[in-house]
Amino acid sequence: MVEDGTGRTPEVTAGHTRAAGPRQAWAGLPWPVRTAVTWSACLVVVIAGLWLLGKIAVLLAPLAIALAGTLFLTALLDPVLLRLRRLRVPAAPAALLTILLLLGILVGVGVLVWNLTASQFGELSQQLDQGLERSRDFVTSSLPITDAQLDRLIRQTREGLSGSAPDPVGGARTAAEVAGSVLLALVLLFFLLKDGRSMWRWVLRRMTGPNRAVTAEAGRVGWRTLGSYSRGTMIIAAIDATGIGLALVLLGVPLALPLALITFLGGFVPIIGATVAGAVAVLVALAANGPTTALLTLAAVIAVQQIEGNLLEPLIMKRQVQLHPAVILVVVTAGTLIAGIAGAFVSVPIAAVTWRVIDTVQRHRAPAPA
């Protein structure tokens, strides 16, 4: 075998050259290009993983909704369970009493609201139609839009909504899936309240080394974040509904209680829900009492939401849920596009818990300062 004067055979030299070629080409690229390529590849992998998880969640929609609702309710009811356990109530009866308390509150509030507002929802629809008609007149008189163009846009929107409406068979199947999801969520809620902590300890016992401490801390932070979000969101939604409802009563706007209920439900969808609920209240005020009352209603809605966003939310949520409003808006929009109303409800708590868990893991793995 002939050497090339360097102590290596030509075959070895050629192989080494071929192997070093791609590395040299990569090293020869400018560092912004290498950084952009690396981050783009990571972003593609993350987006592909999220897309795959989203597709699986859509395919298993009833199960995904049941799991999300179970975790939300478990975090919401965990303080009640702990209070019962401190009173030396066994785990199973404490979990059952907690669920019965939840069902009693929901049924009682539902019956009360239905008795007070069942006859008003038809009137609410009429008031909304009148408000939309007045808004239509204002748009056509103030903007360079003709009646024909606006009618065509409204007709296209209605056709799109009617085309996306489910058929009777699909509606029956959806109702069955919702009923099954509710039943499954209640069963899972009982077992999580009863055995959730023992399940978590079983998971931690399977961890070894420093991973156990990191996992335990990340789990505590994530669970604390979900609990703070669930309880804080319910309190803030109730405060918003109360404030806007009182403003509607003082302004003499009809249907104040149904509008307050819509505001409470909209409070569970950050930013978008409050905006939609406020728009409905302004439309009803416009149809019932004219533009002056509508402007006062708009001012009241904005004032309540500003007080809630700048004063109450930091006090109630504290620093457990740290997401910028722009991030919340993007997350809610993405959740709505992926899974509709259910996605809008669960997108923000998922993002908040994920961010807090990742932040905790990064802080634990960061090197200690010298």
Side-chain angles (χ1 to χ4, degrees):
M1 186 174 291
V2 181
E3 297 183 353
D4 61 355
T6 61
R8 292 175 294 181
T9 62
E11 293 82 358
V12 176
T13 304
H16 178 74
T17 302
R18 286 193 299 270
R23 291 197 295 269
Q24 292 177 352
W26 173 257
L29 293 174
W31 69 265
V33 176
R34 296 199 304 268
T35 303
V37 170
T38 303
W39 280 103
S40 299
C42 295
L43 184 61
V44 168
V45 172
V46 171
I47 292 176
L50 293 176
W51 178 83
L52 182 60
L53 290 176
K55 293 293 290 184
I56 294 174
V58 171
L59 291 175
L60 303 176
L63 178 60
I65 294 174
L67 289 176
T70 301
L71 291 175
F72 188 88
L73 291 176
T74 304
L76 180 66
L77 298 174
D78 192 52
V80 179
L81 178 73
L82 291 178
R83 183 66 60 87
L84 292 175
R85 294 290 289 155
R86 292 193 188 100
L87 297 176
R88 300 186 182 277
V89 179
L96 184 60
L97 287 175
T98 304
I99 295 176
L100 291 177
L101 176 63
L102 172 66
L103 293 177
I105 293 175
L106 292 178
V107 171
V109 172
V111 170
L112 177 63
V113 171
W114 178 261
N115 290 334
L116 294 176
T117 63
S119 60
Q120 297 180 349
F121 277 105
E123 186 181 352
L124 176 60
S125 177
Q126 296 176 1
Q127 296 285 357
L128 285 177
D129 291 338
Q130 295 177 10
L132 290 174
E133 188 65 26
R134 288 194 176 187
S135 301
R136 179 181 179 277
D137 296 337
F138 174 78
V139 169
T140 54
S141 61
S142 303
L143 300 178
I145 298 177
T146 62
D147 291 337
Q149 292 174 342
L150 188 59
D151 290 337
R152 184 168 61 253
L153 179 62
I154 294 174
R155 185 173 61 255
Q156 291 175 353
T157 303
R158 288 178 177 176
E159 290 176 355
L161 293 175
S162 61
S164 62
D167 57 346
V169 177
R173 184 175 59 211
T174 302
E177 290 177 354
V178 170
S181 298
V182 171
L183 181 60
L184 178 61
L186 289 176
V187 175
L188 291 176
L189 178 61
F190 172 77
F191 285 114
L192 280 183
L193 289 174
K194 175 178 174 291
D195 301 322
R197 284 176 171 78
S198 60
M199 292 178 184
W200 180 242
R201 287 192 294 268
W202 180 87
V203 172
L204 291 179
R205 284 196 297 268
R206 299 303 182 271
M207 299 290 176
T208 56
N211 292 331
R212 177 181 294 179
V214 175
T215 304
E217 180 63 20
R220 282 194 295 269
V221 170
W223 186 248
R224 194 182 307 125
T225 301
L226 182 59
S228 299
Y229 177 84
S230 58
R231 291 185 292 273
T233 301
M234 180 165 289
I235 294 173
I236 291 172
I239 293 174
D240 282 350
T242 303
I244 294 177
L246 288 176
L248 295 176
V249 171
L250 293 177
L251 292 174
V253 178
L255 310 172
L257 187 56
L259 292 174
L261 177 62
I262 293 174
T263 303
F264 176 76
L265 296 177
F268 288 91
V269 182
I271 299 178
I272 295 179
T275 303
V276 173
V280 171
V282 172
L283 284 175
V284 172
L286 176 63
N289 298 341
T292 303
T293 304
L295 290 176
L296 293 175
T297 302
L298 178 61
V301 169
I302 293 175
V304 170
Q305 291 179 356
Q306 288 300 313
I307 293 174
E308 170 258 310
N310 297 319
L311 179 61
L312 297 178
E313 186 172 355
L315 291 176
I316 295 174
M317 296 285 192
K318 296 184 179 179
R319 301 182 63 85
Q320 297 298 329
V321 183
Q322 295 178 331
L323 292 178
H324 193 274
V327 177
I328 293 177
L329 185 59
V330 172
V331 168
V332 171
T333 304
T336 305
L337 294 176
I338 294 173
I341 298 177
F345 274 96
V346 303
S347 56
V348 175
I350 290 176
V353 171
T354 302
W355 162 246
R356 293 287 293 169
V357 169
I358 293 175
D359 181 63
T360 302
V361 173
Q362 287 180 341
R363 284 190 288 104
H364 272 268
R365 292 184 175 180

